[in-house]
Amino acid sequence: MTTEGERTTAAAAPGGQARRSGKRAMAGRLSWGLADQAASSISNFAVGIYVARSLGVTAFGVFSLAWVTYGVVLNVSRGLASDPLVVRFSGVPEASWRGAVARASGTALGVGTVIGAACLVIGLALGGRLGPAFACLGVLLPGLLLQDAWRFSFFAAGAGRKAFVNDLVWCVALVPAMVVAARVGSVAAFVLAWGASAAVAAAYGCLQSGIRPRVTEARGWLREQRDLGYRYLVENVSLSGASQLRAYGLGAIAGVGAVGAVRGAELLMGPFLAVLMGLSLVTVPEAARVLRQAPQRLGTFCLLLGGGQAAAALLWGGALLLLPDRLGKFTLGGVWHSAAELIVPITLGVAGAGLGTGAAAGLRALGAARRSLRCQLFASACYVGGGLGGAAAAGTVGSAWGVAAATVSGSAVWWLQLRSALREHRRHPIPEVRTS
């Protein structure tokens, strides 16, 4: 005969096993996010170095303008298509996921087509070196945005391995494309090589998922997700825009050398920032799963996520402070001395950003787009104000400390808004995730 204690133990075992299995599954998804971002970051770094060495500083500057333009358009696509998909269709039944992915990927393709057409017209009108580069970018934007949409779609389904494989396909296709571009020796050729290899990966994503993007349903998707999409659009664009305004303003106030010093310090944080971006691919889907399965644990999950990233940033910054001058000079050359002075404020700024991403993931999972928009606008305004105000007061170092203070302040606002959103969700537990 089984005793009461034995029955309790027997009943508890499957639950404990399920929790352990769930943690292992989460760890696996986070690992694929890191692996995918590593592949993406390494390929981006390699492309930048290869193009710079092949073209020289002026032509590389033209290529960089095309790259920056792609980054802005990418934020538009993510805000309208990928971010709402991740928030509302992470971990849902496959049929719901497939229907949402078809519409979201169609939206990304539509955004690429519309903005790509504009870039093509502008490029043809500009002429010179810049014109052909923008014209080529315009032709290839649909493929570039579709490839990124597949990555987010796979992570929403918990299939990070597929996103990693898709990025590997892009990397493999890049190799012969870049070799051919180097023989041609023009900026347009490198833009074509970069974008065409992304189009190969985008086409492979259709085979991986078995889903055909539905561009004709893009308008319906935008209408259904308008409560999230347009706010996320403003969030994403304000984030990238604040960084650009700070860079331009810093150059005007303290000189172009100051921009180089800040960029050098950011490069020193590069490996950690790659980890941070890799985690960002999976944190919102994971937070959405926690909300669906154990909503009372969402706050703890976000705190562990943000706190872990902040602690890791501080550890990385501490290691940089111990970096020998000889190794620093080998890494950054003449930029090392000016960049080394900024390690402490840059580290604090990155730690503050890492802490804030935990709260941001929680707000995204809750679908609290209005709250997250307020936070991002506040954080962006503080970033620009702190960076430029600090530059006016104390040059490059002042700008770095101003950004650090602004980032920590912005993180505090993110957490205050998450706390309010969690309280509101407990009082009115209206499910935000749509499964149809």
Side-chain angles (χ1 to χ4, degrees):
M1 181 178 292
T2 306
T3 65
E4 181 66 21
E6 290 171 335
R7 285 198 298 271
T8 303
T9 302
Q17 185 176 358
R19 283 193 294 272
R20 287 193 297 272
S21 177
K23 289 179 180 178
R24 284 196 298 269
M26 181 185 295
R29 290 190 292 267
L30 292 173
S31 298
W32 282 118
L34 292 175
D36 176 74
Q37 185 57 46
S40 179
S41 297
I42 290 172
S43 65
N44 288 341
F45 179 76
V47 167
I49 294 296
Y50 190 72
V51 175
R53 291 173 64 88
S54 301
L55 294 179
V57 64
T58 303
F60 180 63
V62 175
F63 181 85
S64 297
L65 287 175
W67 188 292
V68 169
T69 302
Y70 158 71
V72 175
V73 178
L74 184 65
N75 278 327
V76 173
S77 175
R78 287 179 176 177
L80 295 176
S82 303
D83 288 341
L85 172 73
V86 168
V87 169
R88 285 184 164 144
F89 295 92
S90 290
V92 300
E94 184 178 359
S96 299
W97 174 81
R98 292 179 68 85
V101 168
R103 288 175 287 152
S105 60
T107 301
L109 198 56
V111 170
T113 301
V114 172
I115 301 182
C119 285
L120 177 60
V121 172
I122 292 172
L124 293 175
L126 283 175
R129 279 186 171 182
L130 190 59
F134 268 76
C136 292
L137 177 66
V139 172
L140 296 167
L141 266 178
L144 284 162
L145 299 189
L146 181 59
Q147 191 275 336
D148 187 74
W150 289 132
R151 294 175 69 204
F152 278 78
S153 299
F154 292 139
F155 279 114
R161 180 180 60 84
K162 290 186 176 181
F164 174 71
V165 170
N166 194 273
D167 267 330
L168 278 185
V169 169
W170 188 359
C171 292
V172 171
L174 262 173
V175 175
M178 283 291 166
V179 171
V180 173
R183 291 182 179 178
V184 176
S186 68
V187 178
F190 278 104
V191 174
L192 280 172
W194 167 56
S197 55
V200 171
Y204 181 65
C206 296
L207 295 177
Q208 283 179 293
S209 63
I211 298 173
R212 182 171 59 86
R214 300 176 188 168
V215 181
T216 55
E217 296 188 19
R219 182 175 296 178
W221 172 264
L222 294 175
R223 184 171 57 251
E224 293 169 11
Q225 310 301 327
R226 63 182 178 273
D227 58 325
L228 297 183
Y230 295 116
R231 290 189 174 95
Y232 290 160
L233 169 65
V234 176
E235 276 189 49
N236 293 349
V237 173
S238 69
L239 178 63
S240 57
S243 179
Q244 294 300 315
L245 285 175
R246 186 256 182 138
Y248 295 146
L250 179 60
I253 295 170
V256 178
V259 180
V262 170
R263 179 57 183 157
E266 290 173 346
L267 283 174
L268 291 173
M269 297 295 295
F272 176 77
L273 292 175
V275 172
L276 195 67
M277 288 186 289
L279 287 174
S280 69
L281 291 170
V282 291
T283 51
V284 176
E286 290 304 321
R289 287 186 179 89
V290 172
L291 178 63
R292 189 175 299 108
Q293 297 168 5
Q296 73 279 5
R297 297 179 184 170
L298 180 61
T300 302
F301 171 82
C302 294
L303 184 59
L304 291 173
L305 176 65
Q309 291 179 98
L314 293 175
L315 288 173
W316 183 267
L320 290 176
L321 290 174
L322 301 176
L323 195 69
D325 278 347
R326 183 173 60 182
L327 186 56
K329 290 177 183 176
F330 176 79
T331 305
L332 293 179
V335 180
W336 163 249
H337 287 297
S338 55
E341 298 177 352
L342 308 179
I343 289 177
V344 173
I346 290 288
T347 298
L348 293 176
V350 173
L355 183 62
T357 56
L363 286 175
R364 286 280 175 105
L366 289 165
R370 185 171 298 177
R371 292 184 182 275
S372 63
L373 176 59
R374 291 178 198 152
C375 292
Q376 188 56 67
L377 291 176
F378 176 81
S380 296
C382 286
Y383 183 90
V384 175
L388 299 186
T396 309
V397 176
S399 179
W401 278 108
V403 166
T407 305
V408 173
S409 300
S411 178
V413 172
W414 279 104
W415 279 101
L416 289 173
Q417 288 293 324
L418 177 61
R419 185 177 67 173
S420 299
L422 287 171
R423 288 177 177 173
E424 183 177 314
H425 182 77
R426 283 192 289 268
R427 289 196 302 267
H428 308 287
I430 302 172
E432 285 287 346
V433 178
R434 298 176 184 175
T435 57
S436 62

